[in-house]
Amino acid sequence: MSWQAYVDDHLLCDIDGQRLAAAAILGHDGAVWAQSDAFPQVKPEEITAIMNDFNEPGSLAPTGLYLGGSKYMVIQGTRWGYN
């Protein structure tokens, strides 16, 4: 299965009558592997900020998360899967 099929068939599927408005899968280098038509065009600095939040959970909370120039509120950052 391609990453685009995963976005289209799994991330954007209906669940109890609800669905995501947009979805994407991005690599650690910021490359877009797959995205829905409605997903905003992301900027390199936006991807860098997201990747930094994995290394320093909570770093996006004070400034917010930006995707395609739109600001989103970040309530909490958690680092999972690392000891």
Side-chain angles (χ1 to χ4, degrees):
M1 174 186 309
S2 72
W3 288 118
Q4 189 61 51
Y6 188 84
V7 167
D8 296 338
D9 300 337
H10 297 285
L11 297 181
L12 296 176
C13 68
D14 285 327
I15 298 176
D16 297 328
Q18 303 289 317
R19 67 180 296 162
L20 294 174
I25 299 174
L26 304 166
H28 284 227
D29 61 356
V32 178
W33 293 1
Q35 69 182 48
S36 64
D37 292 336
F39 197 81
Q41 181 71 30
V42 293
K43 300 173 185 172
E45 60 270 18
E46 295 169 339
I47 298 302
T48 300
I50 293 168
M51 295 306 299
N52 287 341
D53 198 65
F54 281 100
N55 294 327
E56 299 174 35
S59 65
L60 287 175
T63 60
L65 165 68
Y66 287 84
L67 286 175
S70 295
K71 183 178 181 179
Y72 297 88
M73 183 183 295
V74 176
I75 304 298
Q76 178 181 359
T78 302
R79 186 175 182 182
W80 294 352
Y82 299 99
N83 292 324

